[in-house]
Amino acid sequence: MIKILMIEDDIELAEIISEYLAQFDMKVTNYDDPFIGGSVASSEDYELLILDLTLPGMDGLEICKDIRKSSDIPIIISSARSDIKDKIEAFDLGADDYLPKPYDPQELLIRIKTILKRYNKINEQGEVIVDKKAFKINTTKHQILFYNKPLQLTLGEYGLLEYLIKKNGDIVSRNEIMYNVEYISADSSKKSVDVIIGRLRNKIESDVKNPKYILSVRGLGYRLENVSQES
C-alpha cells in the first residue's frame, strides 16, 4: 500500500480524496493542522505529500520550504490560489507538481502515479539506456544514478540534471534550461535555476564551494563535468 500524507484544512475534500484513492491501494492520512502535518512529513515514512497552500496559521509555501530542508518526499501542491507567483515560488521551493482547485480526483490519481514512477516508488522494469561515466540515466524509471547509487531528486532536479548529462559537457544558459527542462516553468526567474543547481550540488558534490561536477561558466551558464570514477 502506498502511504500518502495530506495537509488540508478542508475536511470534506480530504475525505473525498481519501476514499477515492483507497480504491487504488493508496492510504491517505490527513492533518488539518499545518504545524503537526509539517512535522510528520519529515519524521514518518510517507511516499508523497499533497499540500494545500491556504492553511490556518501557516502558509503552505513555508511548509514546502521547511520540508525540503530535510526531505525529498514528492510534493503536489493542491490550491485554489491562482496567482502565477504562488505557482512559480512553489516550484522554486521544490514542489513537484501544482494542481489548481477544483479538480477531478482522477486527475490527482494520474499525477500521483506519474510522480511516483519518477521517484521509483512504483516498481517498473527498465534498462539503463544512457550511461556516461559518473552518471547513468534510467529513462524508464526516471532515475539518475551517481556512481551506481540512485539520487533522490525532485522532478525539477531530475529534469535539469538529465538535461546537463545529455548535453555532454556543453555549456547551457539559464534561459536554455528554463525553456527546455520539463517541470521548470518558462515563467520562472533565472534565480530559480540557480536554486535548483544549488540543491543538486548539495546532493552530488563533496565540496559545494569547489564543485567537481556541476560547474559555473561566468556570464554563460553551467556545464556538467561527467568525470569517470577513477579521476
Side-chain angles (χ1 to χ4, degrees), residues 97-128:
D97 204 348
Y98 195 106
L99 186 58
K101 295 178 180 177
Y103 55 81
D104 190 305
Q106 293 182 69
E107 182 178 2
L108 176 63
L109 175 64
I110 291 170
R111 296 194 186 208
I112 290 172
K113 287 183 174 180
T114 299
I115 289 174
L116 291 183
K117 283 180 182 179
R118 289 180 181 270
Y119 273 81
N120 196 30
K121 295 296 184 182
I122 296 178
N123 292 327
E124 188 171 299
Q125 296 300 316
E127 297 180 355
V128 174

Side-chain angles (χ1 to χ4, degrees), residues 43-172:
S43 62
E44 296 191 20
D45 187 25
Y46 290 100
E47 295 169 73
L48 184 137
L49 168 63
I50 303 170
L51 175 62
D52 187 20
L53 293 188
T54 306
L55 295 163
M58 188 175 189
D59 191 277
L61 292 173
E62 280 299 315
I63 298 175
C64 184
K65 181 179 180 180
D66 289 344
I67 289 173
R68 273 291 170 259
K69 293 177 181 178
S70 58
S71 174
D72 292 315
I73 184 173
I75 299 174
I76 296 178
I77 300 294
S78 164
S79 178
R81 281 156 50 174
S82 58
D83 192 329
I84 186 65
K85 292 181 180 179
D86 286 326
K87 187 173 184 180
I88 291 172
E89 186 174 358
F91 283 116
D92 286 349
L93 292 173
D96 297 281
D97 204 348
Y98 195 106
L99 186 58
K101 295 178 180 177
Y103 55 81
D104 190 305
Q106 293 182 69
E107 182 178 2
L108 176 63
L109 175 64
I110 291 170
R111 296 194 186 208
I112 290 172
K113 287 183 174 180
T114 299
I115 289 174
L116 291 183
K117 283 180 182 179
R118 289 180 181 270
Y119 273 81
N120 196 30
K121 295 296 184 182
I122 296 178
N123 292 327
E124 188 171 299
Q125 296 300 316
E127 297 180 355
V128 174
I129 65 170
V130 181
D131 185 348
K132 291 179 178 287
K133 300 180 181 178
F135 298 93
K136 299 177 183 178
I137 304 174
N138 186 317
T139 56
T140 302
K141 294 183 178 181
H142 290 89
Q143 184 182 74
I144 295 177
L145 290 85
F146 181 56
Y147 292 129
N148 296 315
K149 294 182 179 179
L151 293 169
Q152 296 299 314
L153 304 172
T154 67
L155 296 184
E157 292 165 0
Y158 171 86
L160 199 160
L161 184 55
E162 178 190 42
Y163 191 72
L164 287 175
I165 294 169
K166 290 183 176 180
K167 295 299 288 188
N168 200 27
D170 291 346
I171 299 170
V172 295

